[in-house]
């Protein structure tokens, strides 16, 4: 009986310093095992082994996800870089009047449908909320149009009364202009606005995304701004070809600008999402590797400890018989 | 230059009156142009006009109706909507 107590005490003494404090779960699992069977001969390493197996599986999954994101990224990055040429002429012509003060603001928050991609969705949502605060005021109205499930989930919590439209499943097929144009058309037809503010993550590199706001004015707002002067005032120096009046041309232009800018925004965000997923998955597989190293170490130490205990028992038993 | 009279001679008022935006108009033009391509290029271009997304309108903090899913090629939907309209 005393022997058993000694053994248990000895084991506890051997076990506890070998496990680093940061690794609480394994420690707890082992000590609960210790209390499980009274006077068991050897320590069960089953729990640690199972955990090692699951960590290894998780690492495999995250590695695979990283590879998938990397291969998808290449195609999307290409089309994103090509699509930048689509909105640049518009900005050259109409400027980006982000400080414009209008009554009905609609914020288009571009997010992704899937998670596990770092902080890009929360960045989009945070910037959208900041823009909403910035544009709100007496007699003003701010509404949200949300692209993607993740943004919807976050914005429903505190501003669900301001949501006008939600759109998801955009990325089932590879993104193309026709799709985004049909979507832009739906937004124009369903939402009343003076200014649209598109919030998205602009892709710089695989690890760098810039939260960006693009502003698109309604035709009436463009005309008002044009009269006020500034960049838009220079529109009068252009000669309009064909039979259309200026307001018609402006309406066409602003509609087309919206679909083009939205197309670029959706692509940039998809690109940022894949880049963010790549780096997130990279760091999580590295973390899994570190965890696995720590687990292996503690597993081996425990094994060694139980062998040592058994040896001591045998030797002391033998010497007791001799002496 | 009587701009109002000149405006009526252009195509713009007609498709505006039909409830189209410039986006729809330009998409129809693009779709017609794609359908003029010859075969290996035609199906490749057709894959670029696949439209799929789910949209739901919100009112009073709730999605109004079960979201409708759009999934088709653009030109087909145009023909369908034309038939429905006419």
């Amino acid at each position: 009986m005393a022997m058993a107590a000694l053994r248990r005490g000895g084991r506890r003494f051997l076990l506890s310093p070998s496990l680093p404090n940061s690794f609480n779960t394994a420690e707890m699992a082992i000590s609960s095992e210790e209390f499980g069977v009274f006077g068991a001969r050897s320590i069960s390493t089953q729990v640690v082994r199972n955990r090692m197996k699951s960590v290894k599986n998780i690492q495999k999954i995250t590695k695979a996800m990283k590879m998938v994101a990397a291969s998808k990224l290449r195609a999307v990055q290409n089309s994103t870089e090509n699509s930048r040429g689509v909105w640049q002429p518009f900005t050259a012509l109409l400027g980006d009047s982000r400080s414009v003060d209008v009554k009905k603001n609609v914020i288009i928050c571009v997010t992704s449908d899937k998670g596990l991609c770092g902080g890009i969705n929360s960045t989009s949502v945070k910037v959208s909320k900041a823009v909403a605060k910035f544009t709100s005021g007496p007699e003003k109205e701010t509404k949200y149009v949300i692209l993607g499930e993740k943004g919807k989930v976050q914005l429903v919590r505190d501003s669900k009364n301001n949501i006008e439209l939600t759109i998801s499943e955009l990325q089932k097929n590879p993104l193309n202009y026709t799709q985004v144009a049909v979507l832009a058309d739906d937004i124009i037809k369903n939402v009343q606005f003076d200014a649209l503010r598109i919030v998205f993550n602009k892709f710089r590199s695989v690890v760098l995304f810039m939260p960006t706001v693009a502003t698109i004015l309604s035709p009436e707002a463009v005309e008002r701004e044009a009269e006020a002067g500034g960049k838009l005032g220079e529109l009068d120096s252009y000669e309009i070809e064909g039979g259309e009046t200026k307001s018609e041309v402006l309406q066409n232009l602003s509609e087309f600008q919206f679909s083009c800018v939205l197309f670029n925004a959706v692509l940039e965000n998809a690109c940022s999402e894949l880049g963010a997923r790549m780096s997130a998955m990279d760091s999580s597989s590295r973390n899994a590797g570190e965890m696995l190293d720590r687990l292996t170490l503690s597993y081996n130490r425990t094994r060694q400890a139980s062998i040592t205990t058994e040896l001591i028992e045998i030797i002391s038993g033998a010497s007791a018989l001799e002496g | 230059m009587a701009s109002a009279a000149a405006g009526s001679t252009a195509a713009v008022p007609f498709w505006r009156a039909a409830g189209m935006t410039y986006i729809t108009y330009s998409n129809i033009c693009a779709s017609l142009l794609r359908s003029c391509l010859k075969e290996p290029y035609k199906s490749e271009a057709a894959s670029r006009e696949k439209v799929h997304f789910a949209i739901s309108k919100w009112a009073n903090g709730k999605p109004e109706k079960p979201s409708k899913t759009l999934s088709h090629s653009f030109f087909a939907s145009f023909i369908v909507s034309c038939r429905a309209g006419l």
Side-chain angles (χ1 to χ4, degrees):
Chain A
M1 202 58 213
M3 192 68 177
L6 189 75
R7 214 191 298 153
R8 275 208 303 147
R11 198 183 301 144
R12 207 179 292 144
F13 172 74
L14 273 168
L15 255 180
S16 39
S18 71
L19 288 159
N21 278 340
S22 58
F23 209 63
N24 280 329
T25 31
E27 195 171 4
M28 268 164 61
I30 290 168
S31 51
S32 73
E33 190 80 4
E34 191 182 12
F35 292 118
V37 190
F38 182 71
R41 269 208 62 83
S42 63
I43 306 155
S44 170
T45 46
Q46 186 80 41
V47 182
V48 189
R49 247 182 294 144
N50 280 346
R51 215 181 141 81
M52 275 162 68
K53 214 186 274 169
S54 81
V55 170
K56 225 180 261 173
N57 284 340
I58 288 169
Q59 192 186 25
K60 266 184 211 159
I61 292 167
T62 53
K63 263 187 188 156
M65 279 182 83
K66 189 199 156 192
M67 299 299 277
V68 170
S71 69
K72 275 187 186 167
L73 178 72
R74 215 165 302 149
V76 177
Q77 189 178 353
N78 199 15
S79 52
T80 304
E81 274 157 11
N82 289 339
S83 79
R84 281 181 190 156
V86 173
W87 63 264
Q88 275 156 354
F90 281 110
T91 314
L93 179 67
L94 300 167
D96 189 22
S97 40
R98 64 186 60 198
S99 57
V100 70
D101 190 33
V102 287
K103 286 228 172 73
K104 277 183 192 155
N105 284 288
V106 173
I107 298 168
I108 302 182
C109 177
V110 184
T111 58
S112 68
D113 276 347
K114 292 176 191 159
L116 293 180
C117 49
I120 65 154
N121 291 327
S122 357
T123 318
S124 263
V125 169
K126 261 182 219 157
V127 173
S128 304
K129 280 181 187 166
V131 172
K133 222 171 225 174
F134 187 63
T135 54
S136 65
E139 289 179 37
K140 281 188 187 170
E141 214 182 7
T142 308
K143 294 276 181 195
Y144 288 109
V145 171
I146 306 166
L147 270 73
E149 285 294 327
K150 293 288 156 185
K152 185 176 91 181
V153 171
Q154 291 188 28
L155 277 167
V156 155
R157 267 183 244 147
D158 58 350
S159 28
K160 63 178 176 186
N161 289 322
N162 294 328
I163 297 176
E164 195 91 332
L165 278 178
T166 57
I167 295 118
S168 56
E169 288 179 37
L170 204 57
Q171 290 193 44
K172 234 173 195 174
N173 301 322
L175 288 163
N176 59 49
Y177 176 74
T178 317
Q179 182 185 20
V180 179
V182 172
L183 172 66
D185 195 43
D186 269 3
I187 293 175
I188 286 182
K189 280 181 181 156
N190 283 315
V191 183
Q192 293 265 318
F193 64 92
D194 286 331
L196 290 164
R197 296 175 198 275
I198 307 179
V199 181
F200 61 98
N201 287 283
K202 198 177 166 69
F203 181 80
R204 277 281 171 81
S205 72
V206 181
V207 285
L208 187 64
F209 329 106
M210 305 295 284
T212 311
V213 184
T215 310
I216 286 138
L217 301 172
S218 71
E220 299 85 46
V222 171
E223 262 181 284
R224 235 180 295 136
E225 286 293 305
E227 279 160 25
K231 179 92 184 165
L232 284 168
E234 288 167 21
L235 274 180
D236 282 328
S237 57
Y238 288 93
E239 201 173 303
I240 295 170
E241 215 171 66
E244 283 94 4
T245 61
K246 193 186 169 193
S247 62
E248 279 173 343
V249 170
L250 275 182
Q251 190 173 6
N252 293 349
L253 258 182
S254 77
E255 281 170 1
F256 192 46
Q257 184 196 13
F258 174 48
S259 72
C260 288
V261 173
L262 189 67
F263 176 55
N264 176 250
V266 169
L267 272 175
E268 295 272 0
N269 204 70
C271 208
S272 307
E273 178 200 341
L274 289 173
R277 179 165 301 132
M278 227 176 93
S279 49
M281 286 305 118
D282 185 45
S283 59
S284 64
S285 28
R286 204 170 36 237
N287 281 347
E290 275 168 26
M291 194 184 233
L292 199 61
D293 283 350
R294 280 206 303 270
L295 277 174
T296 315
L297 193 67
S298 81
Y299 172 74
N300 285 343
R301 277 199 186 153
T302 318
R303 198 170 51 92
Q304 198 75 51
S306 74
I307 292 170
T308 315
T309 323
E310 273 169 25
L311 275 176
I312 291 171
E313 276 169 14
I314 294 166
I315 293 167
S316 53
S319 65
L321 277 179
E322 272 171 20
Chain B
M1 256 321 252
S3 54
S8 62
T9 59
V12 183
F14 294 107
W15 52 255
R16 278 264 176 234
M20 276 192 222
T21 58
Y22 182 75
I23 301 170
T24 325
Y25 173 68
S26 63
N27 260 337
I28 291 165
C29 294
S31 178
L32 284 171
L33 187 63
R34 279 191 205 110
S35 65
C36 294
L37 286 167
K38 283 188 178 172
E39 213 3 281
Y41 309 106
K42 192 175 182 176
S43 44
E44 195 186 311
S47 73
R48 284 199 296 270
E49 56 178 57
K50 269 186 198 139
V51 176
H52 179 100
F53 58 83
I55 186 165
S56 58
K57 219 166 155 38
W58 285 52
N60 306 320
K62 279 192 192 78
E64 212 164 46
K65 53 187 171 205
S67 59
K68 80 178 164 165
T69 311
L70 289 166
S71 179
H72 43 62
S73 89
F74 179 77
F75 195 62
S77 79
F78 168 61
I79 291 168
V80 168
S81 59
C82 274
R83 279 195 190 134
L86 290 173

